[in-house]
Amino acid sequence: MPTQPDTPAKHYQSINFANKFSLFSEQWSQKVIAEMNDYQFKVARLQGDFIWHDHADTDESFIVLEGQLRIDFRDGHVLISQGEMFVVPKGIEHKPYAEHEVKLLLIEPRGVVNTGDEGGDRTSALDVWI
């Protein structure tokens, strides 16, 4: 009976959100914690007002781990509380706002710029892993 070739030992470890959030304190800066296919899982701390922007080519998911996030739209808003999520459809202009700090998990394709085509000082660097 043939034997399997030697393979490197696999390292199985869960991702702890509290640990990941303890590694940074800056606001509106997305940090990659995992990838699945072409999608990245990013954590971020948010507080205050963001900018109006959209993502022409992709939906954007917001999963609130702590706090409450409001996402404004030109014709209304949605409140997302701890343990809830919301998906902003592609091409819809939106502006996140958090009165108090929110800890957030985002799931989006690799290479998505958090400010869309708007740019500015709130643009988070891509592919920053923690």
Side-chain angles (χ1 to χ4, degrees), residues 4-127:
Q4 291 184 321
D6 290 334
T7 58
K10 293 188 184 238
H11 183 70
Y12 298 106
Q13 185 173 352
S14 63
I15 295 170
N16 182 285
F17 292 121
N19 172 264
K20 294 298 184 182
F21 280 108
S22 75
L23 300 175
F24 71 102
S25 61
E26 61 265 35
Q27 301 287 325
W28 304 100
S29 178
Q30 299 177 358
K31 309 295 185 192
V32 180
I33 61 169
E35 283 190 342
M36 179 183 71
N37 301 319
D38 293 332
Y39 281 79
Q40 291 183 324
F41 293 75
K42 302 173 184 177
V43 291
R45 294 173 176 268
L46 314 180
Q47 188 168 1
D49 238 349
F50 201 54
I51 63 168
W52 285 102
H53 69 285
D54 66 35
H55 304 283
D57 299 320
T58 186
D59 300 335
E60 185 176 25
S61 65
F62 292 83
I63 302 168
V64 174
L65 302 175
E66 286 185 29
Q68 185 178 62
L69 180 67
R70 185 182 81 213
I71 300 179
D72 294 324
F73 302 98
R74 295 296 183 181
D75 60 353
H77 70 272
V78 62
L79 291 175
I80 313 162
S81 296
Q82 180 173 321
E84 296 179 339
M85 71 174 286
F86 185 80
V87 177
V88 176
K90 67 181 175 183
I92 301 297
E93 195 174 23
H94 60 286
K95 180 177 67 72
Y97 169 78
E99 183 174 347
H100 303 286
E101 185 176 74
V102 168
K103 293 179 180 172
L104 184 72
L105 175 66
L106 297 148
I107 304 170
E108 55 196 13
R110 187 182 309 113
V112 171
V113 177
N114 67 326
T115 54
D117 292 333
E118 298 302 315
D121 63 349
R122 288 279 173 98
T123 302
S124 185
L126 294 176
D127 295 322

